[in-house]
Amino acid sequence: MPKYDSPRSLAFIQFKIELTNEIRKFWMKICSLSYAEKYLNNITCENREQLIGDLPEHKDTFLTNLNLKYTEFVDEISDTEEYIRQDSIVNIISIFESYIFNAYQRMIAVKDTSTATKKESEKQISISIIENIVKSKNPIIEFANVVTSQKLRNKKTSEMVKEICDACKSGARQEKSKELSELNKYVLLRNSIVHNSRFASQDLENAFGEYESGKKLATKNREDVLKLSSLCLRIIESIDNQYCKAVIKDKDARLLAKEIFIVRGLEKGILKNEVYNKTGVNFSAVELDAIIAEVRRESYKNDFIFSPTMLN
């Protein structure tokens, strides 16, 4: 068996990639807004009452779409940044929930024998869905997707956390109870942004008195986005630790090694380091030989949908 201390799942690797990208895009938007303000400061005083898009120097640029005067643009900056912060909150919680979906789906795909998985496999699936599964390009992924959707669809975020924790016997709900309580605030905030046109809902007011139902939402500052991303990371790390120990073990590392070898054809020593750096699993040369041999057999089929970034 390979050696590993704190292995990481493919679902976790994907989560980290998406979370990092979201935070990077958040700062790019904030910085772009700041640079736009500095650029438009060059508009002369006599032109500041004209529409920015109508000024001759902005012809054939994206600024022709800006149907605002300079003074109006400056007045809108604060609200625009608020929208950027709120949109990032929505995206980060979606990324958090995607980890749970991906992890649960992968658990079904690797034929985990936990009680929770057995129960889900016994649920009735219609004949038409079975036909679609059989005809699909990858029946394993399609079946796992159907079962996972039955289990997690329309569940609250807290309920989704409970499902994955129960399935892999994780104590993350107890260990990270404080973080999960804080996360609930952001989930209700997300719901108000998405479902209540950025106005505080009654649920949000009831749970957190700092918000008043019917009032326009306002995040505190940019730190809200960073705090949420940190919360999500700590919770997912806790869940994934037990998830790997109880369900995945070295299965994800083996699959990743196969896919990297197919895409990049790396020499064994480099492949070994790549897999270890991403998953924490340290394969021996003999184990890598066996993994590569399996790839070369025609029977090999991938049972996880990879992001190209994961293989770089």
Side-chain angles (χ1 to χ4, degrees):
M1 288 290 292
K3 298 177 181 178
Y4 50 84
D5 298 318
S6 299
R8 289 304 182 203
S9 68
L10 292 172
F12 180 82
I13 296 169
Q14 186 68 39
F15 166 78
K16 281 290 294 291
I17 290 170
E18 292 176 1
L19 184 64
T20 301
N21 285 341
E22 177 57 37
I23 296 302
R24 183 178 294 127
K25 295 295 188 296
F26 167 73
W27 283 116
M28 285 180 68
K29 292 172 189 174
I30 295 296
C31 291
S32 296
L33 197 61
S34 177
Y35 274 105
E37 181 183 11
K38 289 180 180 179
Y39 173 79
L40 293 174
N41 277 339
N42 294 322
I43 295 175
T44 58
C45 291
E46 59 268 24
N47 286 335
R48 290 192 174 187
E49 290 306 311
Q50 292 188 51
L51 295 178
I52 293 170
D54 289 345
L55 295 175
E57 61 265 36
H58 298 153
K59 184 181 179 182
D60 299 326
T61 73
F62 67 91
L63 291 170
T64 56
N65 297 307
L66 204 52
N67 193 28
L68 292 171
K69 299 175 183 177
Y70 168 81
T71 49
E72 292 172 329
F73 177 87
V74 172
D75 290 342
E76 290 281 348
I77 286 175
S78 179
D79 280 349
T80 302
E81 184 173 327
E82 176 63 33
Y83 272 47
I84 292 171
R85 291 197 296 269
Q86 290 181 14
D87 289 346
S88 279
I89 287 170
V90 172
N91 293 341
I92 290 169
I93 293 173
S94 295
I95 292 166
F96 179 90
E97 293 174 341
S98 291
Y99 164 83
I100 298 175
F101 188 94
N102 289 338
Y104 206 99
Q105 183 187 52
R106 177 73 176 136
M107 180 176 64
I108 303 297
V110 299
K111 300 178 179 64
D112 174 60
T113 55
S114 70
T115 303
T117 305
K118 283 182 179 177
K119 286 180 180 177
E120 287 313 302
S121 298
E122 290 164 4
K123 274 194 172 184
Q124 288 188 347
I125 299 176
S126 69
I127 296 297
S128 61
I129 292 177
I130 292 173
E131 287 177 352
N132 290 336
I133 291 171
V134 173
K135 292 176 183 177
S136 66
K137 185 177 179 181
N138 194 321
I140 293 175
I141 290 181
E142 188 60 30
F143 173 74
N145 182 57
V146 169
V147 174
T148 304
S149 294
Q150 285 184 341
K151 189 66 175 176
L152 301 179
R153 187 191 295 124
N154 298 326
K155 291 282 180 75
K156 295 178 180 178
T157 307
S158 58
E159 293 171 338
M160 293 175 71
V161 170
K162 182 179 185 302
E163 293 293 351
I164 190 64
C165 286
D166 287 351
C168 67
K169 299 178 176 60
S170 169
R173 292 172 66 227
Q174 291 73 40
E175 295 167 10
K176 301 296 178 184
S177 59
K178 182 180 177 181
E179 287 88 342
L180 285 165
S181 178
E182 289 185 77
L183 176 64
N184 186 50
K185 169 186 171 180
Y186 288 103
V187 170
L188 291 173
L189 188 58
R190 183 274 307 268
N191 294 345
S192 291
I193 294 166
V194 174
H195 303 299
N196 212 34
S197 302
R198 302 181 193 266
F199 288 89
S201 66
Q202 189 63 55
D203 286 344
L204 185 61
E205 180 183 350
N206 292 343
F208 303 96
E210 64 193 273
Y211 296 97
E212 186 177 344
S213 176
K215 288 286 185 72
K216 199 76 172 173
L217 288 172
T219 54
K220 292 178 181 177
N221 49 50
R222 299 169 191 174
E223 295 303 314
D224 256 343
V225 174
L226 303 182
K227 181 180 179 181
L228 174 60
S229 65
S230 178
L231 275 175
C232 290
L233 180 58
R234 294 200 300 276
I235 295 166
I236 295 299
E237 281 179 333
S238 180
I239 294 172
D240 200 67
N241 185 48
Q242 176 61 21
Y243 173 72
C244 286
K245 289 177 181 176
V247 178
I248 293 302
K249 298 174 181 162
D250 69 340
K251 295 182 182 75
D252 277 4
R254 287 179 177 276
L255 183 55
L256 185 64
K258 293 170 189 175
E259 290 295 319
I260 291 177
F261 180 77
I262 290 168
V263 172
R264 298 168 62 191
L266 297 178
E267 179 268 328
K268 274 193 300 183
I270 299 175
L271 179 60
K272 171 186 170 79
N273 291 336
E274 288 267 349
V275 174
Y276 177 76
N277 289 337
K278 291 178 185 292
T279 67
V281 177
N282 192 11
F283 288 116
S284 68
V286 173
E287 287 165 334
L288 279 176
D289 282 336
I291 289 169
I292 292 169
E294 186 179 339
V295 171
R296 288 173 172 151
R297 291 198 294 267
E298 292 182 2
S299 60
Y300 168 66
K301 286 185 178 179
N302 174 16
D303 54 0
F304 187 88
I305 299 173
F306 279 86
S307 160
T309 312
M310 200 185 294
L311 304 175
N312 292 336

